[in-house]
Amino acid sequence: VAMPGTVRVAMRVAVRSLCLAALLGALGAGGTELTLELPDSAQRCFHQELESGIKFTLDYQVISGGHYDVDCYVEDPNGKTIYQETKKQYDSFSHHSEVKGVYTFCFSNEFSTFSHKIVYFDFQVGDEPPILPDMNNRVTALTQMESACVTIHEMLNAVIDSQTHYRLREAQDRSRAEELNGRVSYWSVGETLILFVVSIGQVMLLKSFFTEKRPSSGGAGT
């Protein structure tokens, strides 16, 4: 007969193993994350081959540049536009592919003539696989340990999403702060130059007031 302490240790090991599997499943979910630079009057497109009936999700956000907006559209293999938005700061789009082929999604900055943009996007394909084997085909209820691991897995996904959100917000705020700092620096340099010019002008003006003007020599006396 196993001792109570040994049972507790074995259960802790099992819980840690299942929770580690949940953590690896949360961190190893399929998808593509990319941060790209989008020059002014430019467009960047990406392509992904999908089977029919596959769910895909596109999340994007402009991190820096201009008014933090960008045009985005998604086309199916037949050239049909299934998503299109103009001058969006951020958005999320989910869709189930209806036909098999190469899907195209593009980010456009063609409406801007001088502002470079930095855009982050996350492209997820398919549903996340279950963290437990045969979880979708089970006819019995989950045990308390399995339910706890599923809950931990969902919480880890929420933590990852929150970390991504706050990381993007921090990058956006840092970009705005650097832009504001640059404007303040240019304004300070401009004020310094203006004060320097005004000071020289005042010195020259005061000097002209106190400069003795010698009378010009007249013609020879008779």
Side-chain angles (χ1 to χ4, degrees):
V1 180
M3 299 297 294
T6 306
V7 173
R8 284 196 294 268
V9 171
M11 291 185 64
R12 288 176 183 175
V13 172
V15 170
R16 289 177 181 176
S17 300
L18 286 175
C19 291
L20 179 59
L23 175 60
L24 295 177
L27 296 178
T32 300
E33 294 184 71
L34 184 64
T35 301
L36 61 99
E37 182 178 358
L38 193 60
D40 53 282
S41 304
Q43 177 176 284
R44 295 281 181 86
C45 293
F46 301 86
H47 310 276
Q48 178 67 44
E49 185 174 1
L50 299 175
E51 300 289 336
S52 60
I54 298 296
K55 177 184 177 182
F56 65 89
T57 303
L58 175 64
D59 298 319
Y60 64 92
Q61 179 176 343
V62 182
I63 300 176
S64 66
H67 296 288
Y68 300 89
D69 53 359
V70 71
D71 296 344
C72 180
Y73 66 89
V74 181
E75 292 183 350
D76 65 6
N78 298 325
K80 177 184 176 182
T81 301
I82 57 179
Y83 170 82
Q84 184 173 12
E85 291 291 343
T86 58
K87 296 184 178 182
K88 295 284 290 187
Q89 294 184 350
Y90 58 89
D91 202 5
S92 178
F93 171 68
S94 297
H95 185 74
H96 283 81
S97 57
E98 298 177 355
V99 294
K100 177 182 177 181
V102 177
Y103 286 75
T104 302
F105 59 98
C106 299
F107 300 99
S108 175
N109 193 31
E110 295 177 335
F111 60 88
S112 179
T113 56
F114 58 88
S115 296
H116 283 55
K117 308 290 176 62
I118 296 180
V119 182
Y120 162 86
F121 74 87
D122 181 12
F123 188 76
Q124 299 287 337
V125 178
D127 295 324
E128 185 180 358
I131 62 173
L132 300 176
D134 300 330
M135 181 175 176
N136 295 331
N137 300 325
R138 296 184 60 173
V139 295
T140 59
L142 297 177
T143 64
Q144 185 176 2
M145 183 185 303
E146 292 172 341
S147 299
C149 290
V150 172
T151 302
I152 292 174
H153 177 72
E154 294 175 352
M155 293 177 65
L156 288 172
N157 284 331
V159 169
I160 293 174
D161 293 339
S162 298
Q163 288 180 338
T164 301
H165 172 72
Y166 287 120
R167 186 173 68 250
L168 294 176
R169 288 290 300 273
E170 187 271 336
Q172 191 178 67
D173 292 341
R174 183 175 64 251
S175 176
R176 290 180 177 176
E178 291 176 353
E179 181 181 358
L180 181 60
N181 180 66
R183 292 182 179 181
V184 171
S185 299
Y186 288 136
W187 181 259
S188 300
V189 172
E191 284 187 333
T192 302
L193 292 176
I194 292 174
L195 288 175
F196 186 71
V197 172
V198 170
S199 300
I200 293 177
Q202 289 178 344
V203 170
M204 297 297 293
L205 181 62
L206 291 175
K207 185 177 180 181
S208 66
F209 288 159
F210 295 99
T211 300
E212 181 181 357
K213 295 183 179 180
R214 296 182 180 180
S216 58
S217 58
T222 55

